[in-house]
Amino acid sequence: MSRAEAATGHTLRAILWFATIAFLVAQLVRTDRSNPAVSGDLSAPPAVKDALQRSCYDCHSNQTRWPWYSAVAPCSWWIHHEVAEGRRRMNFSSWTDYTSDPGTENQKLDEIARLIASDAMPPWYYRAMHPGAQLTSAERDTITQWIAGEKLSHAASSPR
Ligand code: HEC
């Protein structure tokens, strides 16, 4: 082995060691994988509810099914962030907070319709990890029709 080869071997070993230690140290930074209590879950017809549960509830509810890799840094940091952000923007587990103000509920419903129509939700990286989470076009139609019906009933019940 030449001197240069020995030096390269040295550097590679040092990098591997460094990466291993960094990975192990990263595991010390724990993230919260708790599921807070469900305060007022969405009520919707079973076909709608089932599709939303399968496709959205991991990030937009307090009933997240945390996968094993959500316990391994650095994945855990990122997944934790996505779930926290998803719940903050819209949480099906406290949906009754929105229904108490139909304006807010309509706004969330509009957003859902918009994001599923453009295939923006569930996010692509989530679909890559959970191929079964993709909404079928029949499910998209069912959800969109349900949303239209909900909004009609709000319009009918709001005082003019
Ligand atoms: C992997 C996690 C994840 C999944 C699964 C997911 N979302 Fe999201 N969603 C997010 C995040 C993060 C945001 C906020 C950032 C953004 O808009 O990209 C968000 C934002 C939204 C918003 C905007 C809410 C607002 O008022 O600001 C809606 C509506 C939404 N998602 C609907 C859905 C629906 C419907 C599904 C299922 C078909 C779904 N999401 C699945 C992570 C997720």
Side-chain angles (χ1 to χ4, degrees), residues 34-139:
S34 66
N35 284 344
V38 175
S39 61
D41 199 22
L42 169 80
S43 63
V48 171
K49 184 80 183 257
D50 288 352
L52 295 176
Q53 276 177 329
R54 196 185 79 243
S55 205
C56 322
Y57 264 52
D58 276 346
C59 301
H60 291 291
S61 84
N62 296 346
Q63 294 173 291
T64 307
R65 295 160 297 181
W66 297 97
W68 66 266
Y69 47 82
S70 71
V72 182
C75 292
S76 53
W77 304 339
W78 187 60
I79 294 173
H80 172 81
H81 172 265
E82 290 297 295
V83 173
E85 189 61 14
R87 285 174 179 170
R88 192 173 70 75
R89 297 289 201 95
M90 179 183 71
N91 193 333
F92 287 116
S93 295
S94 46
W95 190 260
T96 48
D97 291 357
Y98 307 144
T99 44
S100 55
D101 170 23
T104 309
E105 189 185 15
N106 280 352
Q107 196 190 330
K108 297 293 174 197
L109 291 171
D110 281 341
E111 283 282 288
I112 296 174
R114 188 174 66 82
L115 293 174
I116 62 175
S118 61
D119 237 359
M121 287 284 154
W124 65 269
Y125 55 82
Y126 180 79
R127 280 179 278 160
M129 295 304 285
H130 305 83
Q134 175 93 35
L135 291 174
T136 64
S137 63
E139 285 172 329

Side-chain angles (χ1 to χ4, degrees), residues 42-45 48-49 52 92 95 105 109 112 140-153:
L42 169 80
S43 63
V48 171
K49 184 80 183 257
L52 295 176
F92 287 116
W95 190 260
E105 189 185 15
L109 291 171
I112 296 174
R140 265 198 290 268
D141 289 348
T142 308
I143 296 171
T144 314
Q145 277 161 23
W146 167 72
I147 289 176
E150 287 291 294
K151 291 185 60 188
L152 268 180
S153 75

